[in-house]
Amino acid sequence: MSSNDDASVIRTDGLTKRYGSDAAVENLSFTVDTGEIYGFLGPNGAGKSTTINMLMDYARPTEGEISILGMDPREDVVDVHQRVGILPDGFSVYENRTGRDHLRLVIDTKAADDDPEALLERVGLADAVDDDAGSYSRGMRQRLALAMALVGEPELLILDEPFSGLDPHGVRTIRDVAHAENDRGATVFFSSHVLGQVELVCDRIGILHEGRLVAEGTLEELRASAPVTTEFELAVDGNLEQARRAVRNVEGVVDISVSSASDGTTVGDGATGGGPETGAAAGGAGAGAEADTMAGGTIVTHLESIDRREAVVEALERTDMTIRRTTVEEPSIESIFVAHTGGSPAGGEHR
Amino acid sequence: MRWFPLARQECKALVSSKGVWLLALVLPLWTYRPAYRTWNELGPDMTIGFVQHSAAFVLPLAAIALGYRAIVGDRSSGSLRFVLGLPLTRRDVLLGKLVGRTVGIAIPVGIALAVVTVVGVVRFGLFSPLRYLAVLVVTFAYLAVLVSIVVSVSALAGRAATAAATLFVGLLVVFETLWQLLAPMLYSRLTGTPVNLYDPPADGRLFLIDRLAPSRAYNTVTNWLLEAGNSAGFHNSVISDLEPNVSSNVLVVDNTFEPGAVPLYLHEAGGLVILAAWGLVPLSIAYYRFDRGDLA
């Protein structure tokens, strides 16, 4: 049925959607490979839902190509949807139909042999199978929609903003189901503006901003490519001032601050490396710090990339410092996101 | 038949709503209209004539009230995203909605008509069963045509209120209620000939325009089956108009044209063509637009 000669489940090429002169999605090319969990990350209005609408043939592209499972979303809509499960964004249930009714429609249309109760059990809604969906809470509706997406063991699961309106248990359910489906062999594609969830679920992330893909890769790759710093903290014994001088000139060190173990005084210093967060901890020098720095303490550095860690350690080892402990704090996905979009991350779940 | 589960669920949802059963309650009261003149002409077949009364007002109103949200309601609420996510083409979606709603309305209508039929048979005796069956088939076809118009408008409209207003004014008021008055006016406008309905000109175009509305076309066909006369009016009006010394504002071909001088296009079977056009033309336009546009 499929002419899927490569490993891609979704492939778009130059995908563009304009409403009048406004482009909701512009020249978007991306690929989702078989078996991966791919997260589409972006603020509201970035074009995530527009893209998914085009993948599902709810809306037609102005320009560009889409291939899903090697097929055309419009010409092969029946074959594509037979193998795809969708949790749409901004959906609404049929108020006077039960959860079972909703599932039966999907099961019968797909000619699947799923049991409505078993599906609702999986999403934690077994108790409400014969209640009118009109009486469901927002979170229950979201769970029902997820159960509908699972009908027929889809090869591709598309979840559009699956976490919206869910309490922590619901969020957990979505994550668990996404992983379970992925283990079964399904490819999972989802969109979200909830950054933390993307980090927890995805193998690969694409950051969409104003209709364009501004960054794509694994979390590590995104961290490496974003102009944000990694915090590297070392607990050392020895002369802190000497350590500071040794480390500040290491390439890739954005800034450094030291604090002595005895009184917690902090001495900061902007380094030569430059960078967006330069000097964050600088200027905190207290009087008499010089005298106390022999006892050892803590060195906090900000690095352009986590790979510069080794250089810092080597520089310290060339002095007579003893490194007792190191901790690395990689940049949060929020900071990566901000760095790529130049906007503020949307942490909330409400639309 | 991929759309069958969709149609079944549409039908089930409709049958479990209150509106259709209100219809089932109203319809027998609306259609049961025994009259001496009709009895004299039709005998026990008067019961078949009751069925024809359902075409006026009640069925169009029911089709509009129970169907106008079929597509546009799902579209504005967002549940169309579920339906469009199913392995169905957009044609399947339209068909499933149309068939489901039609059957969903046909079930209470069938029950209501059965009640009227039983009462009619008990009071007026057994009618000709074949004729009854033929009228019933045409009535359900007419119902399907109405639902097709309603679903088409629902698929074309941007908002539910637009669909409701368009159908109420356009279908119910203009075509189903006022058409017998509007048709002569329209004819006068087009030809410049004034029309006195009590003494109409023997112009086939006037009579054709008179039967262009869905209910008028339906009446024409069912009058033919009842042998009530060649007219788009209700059979009892036609029957009284055909009595000697009675003149009414109902346009009856047999009263105006000499036998043998009736244009072929005024044959009663033409009503079936008009009904078919009403069933297919709006639906085709709706399909054309629905299949091309963005739906989310």
Side-chain angles (χ1 to χ4, degrees):
Chain A
M1 182 155 46
S2 149
S3 58
N4 209 13
D5 47 5
D6 59 344
S8 74
V9 173
I10 300 174
R11 193 175 57 241
T12 75
D13 186 19
L15 189 61
T16 300
K17 179 68 183 178
R18 285 190 204 97
Y19 295 100
S21 58
D22 295 336
V25 170
E26 196 156 13
N27 196 19
L28 181 65
S29 302
F30 72 99
T31 303
V32 177
D33 294 328
T34 306
E36 71 175 337
I37 303 183
Y38 187 101
F40 229 22
L41 180 62
N44 290 329
K48 305 185 301 291
S49 284
T50 304
T51 304
I52 287 177
N53 287 345
M54 288 190 282
L55 297 180
M56 290 303 293
D57 192 45
Y58 297 166
R60 267 76 189 253
T62 313
E63 281 165 38
E65 304 288 323
I66 303 173
S67 161
I68 295 189
L69 298 159
M71 295 181 286
D72 181 88
R74 180 176 180 180
E75 296 302 319
D76 310 314
V77 62
V78 174
D79 292 332
V80 170
H81 288 188
Q82 183 67 37
R83 295 161 64 186
V84 172
I86 172 78
L87 191 170
D89 182 37
F91 68 88
S92 138
V93 296
Y94 289 104
E95 302 274 328
N96 54 0
R97 303 187 194 174
T98 64
R100 187 193 300 276
D101 288 338
H102 281 81
L103 283 165
R104 272 255 81 91
L105 176 61
V106 187
I107 292 168
D108 293 347
T109 307
K110 282 192 164 178
D113 54 5
D114 290 282
D115 173 25
E117 278 166 55
L119 281 169
L120 286 179
E121 178 90 53
R122 270 187 77 186
V123 299
L125 211 56
D127 297 344
V129 62
D130 286 317
D131 293 348
D132 277 351
S135 68
Y136 287 7
S137 68
R138 178 82 180 83
M140 290 166 81
R141 292 171 191 218
Q142 195 79 5
R143 289 166 186 265
L144 173 60
L146 177 64
M148 290 167 77
L150 298 178
V151 170
E153 303 204 328
E155 289 165 56
L156 168 63
L157 200 57
I158 299 180
L159 312 173
D160 196 358
E161 295 283 356
F163 305 111
S164 62
L166 287 177
D167 61 15
H169 291 296
V171 168
R172 180 68 183 269
T173 305
I174 299 263
R175 275 205 328 251
D176 290 349
V177 167
H179 280 131
E181 288 293 293
N182 188 239
D183 292 343
R184 174 176 65 74
T187 306
V188 180
F189 176 79
F190 80 94
S191 81
S192 182
H193 65 279
V194 186
L195 305 163
Q197 299 305 335
V198 176
E199 186 174 19
L200 285 170
V201 181
C202 289
D203 300 329
R204 216 147 61 86
I205 298 166
I207 297 180
L208 200 63
H209 184 56
E210 292 177 349
R212 292 167 178 278
L213 196 65
V214 292
E216 190 185 40
T218 62
L219 193 54
E220 288 69 32
E221 287 164 353
L222 289 176
R223 278 194 178 116
S225 69
V228 292
T229 54
T230 300
E231 189 175 280
F232 185 38
E233 187 182 308
L234 306 100
V236 293
D237 290 330
N239 187 327
L240 282 179
E241 182 53 32
Q242 191 189 350
R244 189 161 69 92
R245 277 197 293 268
V247 171
R248 67 191 276 189
N249 291 323
V250 172
E251 197 187 323
V253 173
V254 176
D255 63 40
I256 174 170
S257 65
V258 297
S259 57
S260 76
S262 55
D263 64 2
T265 320
T266 302
V267 178
D269 188 4
T272 51
E277 298 194 356
T278 298
E290 194 77 33
D292 292 326
T293 50
M294 293 304 292
T298 310
I299 302 175
V300 178
T301 66
H302 284 97
L303 309 176
E304 282 176 0
S305 137
I306 193 168
D307 304 334
R308 302 310 301 160
R309 235 172 0 170
E310 307 297 321
V312 172
V313 171
E314 278 171 24
L316 284 173
E317 281 171 349
R318 279 197 294 274
T319 67
D320 289 329
M321 311 290 292
T322 313
I323 300 171
R324 283 189 281 117
R325 179 170 51 81
T326 66
T327 34
V328 178
E329 192 178 316
E330 291 197 77
S332 68
I333 191 154
E334 279 83 357
S335 61
I336 293 172
F337 182 79
V338 170
H340 279 296
T341 60
S344 62
E349 296 192 352
H350 297 288
R351 297 169 42 84
Chain B
M1 294 293 276
R2 285 188 296 258
W3 45 264
F4 183 73
L6 177 63
R8 186 173 54 198
Q9 191 142 98
E10 285 289 314
C11 173
K12 191 182 159 203
L14 205 53
V15 170
S16 57
S17 72
K18 292 187 192 79
V20 285
W21 299 107
L22 190 67
L23 169 66
L25 209 65
V26 167
L27 205 54
L29 306 172
W30 175 266
T31 52
Y32 184 73
R33 299 184 205 176
Y36 282 112
R37 274 211 190 96
T38 314
W39 165 254
N40 287 337
E41 193 63 31
L42 297 181
D45 282 359
M46 184 164 73
T47 302
I48 307 177
F50 294 157
V51 175
Q52 195 196 61
H53 287 300
S54 60
F57 202 72
V58 173
L59 277 194
L61 182 65
I64 292 170
L66 299 170
Y68 80 96
R69 292 184 57 85
I71 307 267
V72 74
D74 278 13
R75 197 169 158 183
S76 47
S77 77
S79 38
L80 194 60
R81 287 164 192 245
F82 286 134
V83 177
L84 288 176
L86 296 170
L88 299 173
T89 63
R90 292 187 183 181
R91 182 206 304 259
D92 294 330
V93 172
L94 266 186
L95 268 177
K97 290 273 182 183
L98 172 57
V99 173
R101 299 266 167 163
T102 303
V103 175
I105 301 174
I107 289 170
V109 167
I111 292 171
L113 292 180
V115 170
V116 174
T117 304
V118 168
V119 173
V121 169
V122 168
R123 294 207 50 188
F124 309 111
L126 190 63
F127 46 70
S128 129
L130 273 180
R131 186 172 288 177
Y132 177 80
L133 203 65
V135 169
L136 213 56
V137 167
V138 176
T139 304
F140 284 118
Y142 168 68
L143 176 64
V145 167
L146 290 173
V147 178
S148 168
I149 295 168
V150 171
V151 169
S152 302
V153 171
S154 188
L156 289 169
R159 293 188 313 139
T162 315
T166 307
L167 287 164
F168 190 80
V169 175
L171 183 61
L172 193 65
V173 175
V174 172
F175 279 109
E176 301 291 54
T177 310
L178 296 180
W179 191 252
Q180 52 188 332
L181 304 173
L182 294 174
M185 287 165 63
L186 190 63
Y187 170 79
S188 295
R189 262 302 160 80
L190 293 174
T191 62
T193 316
V195 177
N196 174 9
L197 284 174
Y198 293 92
D199 185 17
D203 187 338
R205 290 174 295 175
L206 172 63
F207 287 77
L208 181 65
I209 293 172
D210 187 43
R211 61 185 58 176
L212 283 182
S215 64
R216 310 289 287 172
Y218 165 81
N219 283 350
T220 306
V221 177
T222 44
N223 285 340
W224 179 40
L225 296 170
L226 283 165
E227 295 177 32
N230 186 347
S231 170
F234 289 105
H235 66 281
N236 39 0
S237 318
V238 178
I239 285 167
S240 52
D241 193 67
L242 282 171
E243 305 241 315
N245 308 321
V246 175
S247 183
S248 76
N249 61 351
V250 178
L251 290 170
V252 182
V253 171
D254 321 63
N255 265 352
T256 308
F257 291 85
E258 297 299 322
V262 180
L264 184 65
Y265 60 80
L266 288 186
H267 190 280
E268 293 98 322
L272 290 172
V273 178
I274 296 168
L275 275 184
W278 276 105
L280 295 176
V281 173
L283 191 64
S284 306
I285 296 168
Y287 171 67
Y288 183 86
R289 291 273 306 277
F290 189 68
D291 192 46
R292 274 158 186 76
D294 291 343
L295 298 175

